[in-house]
Amino acid sequence: MPAPSADELKRQAAAVALEAVAPGMRLGLGTGSTAAHFVDLLGAKVKAGLDVLCVPTSERTRAQAAALGVPLATLDEAPELDLTVDGADEFDAKMRLIKGGGGALLREKIVAAASKRFIVITDESKRVETLGAFPLPVEIDPFGAKATRLHVERVARDLGLAGTVGPRLKPDGHVFVTDGGHLILDCAFGAISDPDALADRLSAIPGVVEHGLFIGLATAVVVAGRDGVSTLGRLGPA
């Protein structure tokens, strides 16, 4: 039997996360290729009669969910959520994450922080011993972008990190701009020996709106692999 494709693994993880959804829940919907599978599966449940209200983390996710008939609200309309389901670019054994590859890290983090539970759905390729193989996204204000970039580089050097820090570009070569009108620096630091310290230092930089280190937010990570689906943390309520 051929090994499952990456897409099949993502869908398997999404299906397990869907089991944590109950009628009447207020849900946060993540952004990215893995989260899109969850939205697809959720849409089928909604069509079959599931009653939920959902807050999307990006305009892309909003459009997908709306097309499937999923009831939507803003976070101001539903400021306290029962559960958010989203993907990740990397995760470690402590359920620390790097997110932001899809360009929605600020809204993703705001929504995750507003949720009682945050389930991350991934495939086994996203598991790492040390975060940093995936370039860390840092969302910044366009004003003073070069000064902010230099500050990020100084903080990295102080923590023994090196590597290129540059603005994210779209395929057409133009600078990528987030839904909130910000820029993203992709920081190829390599192995980040102390993610907690880096998160604290980045958060203190004027001009940094948010960074892609999600620490202390995930309550579970669902991992689909060749040998089946495994879970770190807890899927259900405490």
Side-chain angles (χ1 to χ4, degrees):
M1 179 182 295
S5 68
D7 252 5
E8 289 169 336
L9 293 177
K10 292 173 182 179
R11 201 166 186 87
Q12 289 174 19
V16 170
L18 188 63
E19 295 173 6
V21 176
M25 276 189 168
R26 295 185 171 202
L27 303 175
L29 303 179
T31 296
S33 59
T34 309
H37 284 290
F38 178 80
V39 175
D40 276 343
L41 294 173
L42 180 67
K45 286 281 191 180
V46 167
K47 187 176 181 180
L50 178 66
D51 175 30
V52 291
L53 183 66
C54 300
V55 174
T57 55
S58 68
E59 296 308 313
R60 178 174 34 161
T61 298
R62 176 178 293 280
Q64 179 193 3
L68 293 168
V70 175
L72 297 176
T74 67
L75 194 58
D76 286 327
E77 293 165 337
E80 295 180 321
L81 303 176
D82 298 295
L83 170 66
T84 288
V85 178
D86 202 351
D89 298 301
E90 284 187 348
F91 72 97
D92 68 10
K94 294 182 178 180
M95 297 195 295
R96 296 179 295 193
L97 319 171
I98 284 182
K99 287 179 54 54
L105 67 97
L106 173 63
R107 295 188 182 186
E108 288 173 337
K109 191 174 281 190
I110 291 172
V111 169
S115 304
K116 294 175 184 175
R117 288 183 287 151
F118 176 32
I119 296 177
V120 178
I121 49 177
T122 71
D123 64 89
E124 60 187 354
S125 70
K126 307 296 176 61
R127 186 197 305 265
V128 296
E129 289 197 15
T130 305
L131 295 176
F134 189 91
L136 174 66
V138 177
E139 192 162 336
I140 66 170
D141 193 279
F143 178 82
K146 185 173 182 179
T148 302
R149 175 179 173 178
L150 292 173
H151 202 156
V152 169
E153 291 172 342
R154 285 195 297 271
V155 161
R157 285 197 300 272
D158 289 347
L159 293 173
L161 300 171
T164 58
V165 175
R168 180 174 299 180
L169 303 178
K170 297 188 293 185
D172 62 8
H174 289 88
V175 173
F176 177 88
V177 179
T178 71
D179 287 342
H182 304 128
L183 309 180
I184 289 183
L185 298 177
D186 285 317
C187 306
F189 294 143
I192 301 171
S193 59
D194 192 343
D196 300 69
L198 179 59
D200 288 344
R201 293 288 298 275
L202 289 173
S203 293
I205 297 174
V208 168
V209 180
E210 193 49 86
H211 55 74
L213 288 165
F214 283 50
I215 297 174
L217 287 171
T219 53
V221 179
V222 179
V223 190
R226 295 180 181 180
D227 299 324
V229 180
S230 60
T231 303
L232 295 175
R234 56 177 176 83
L235 285 175

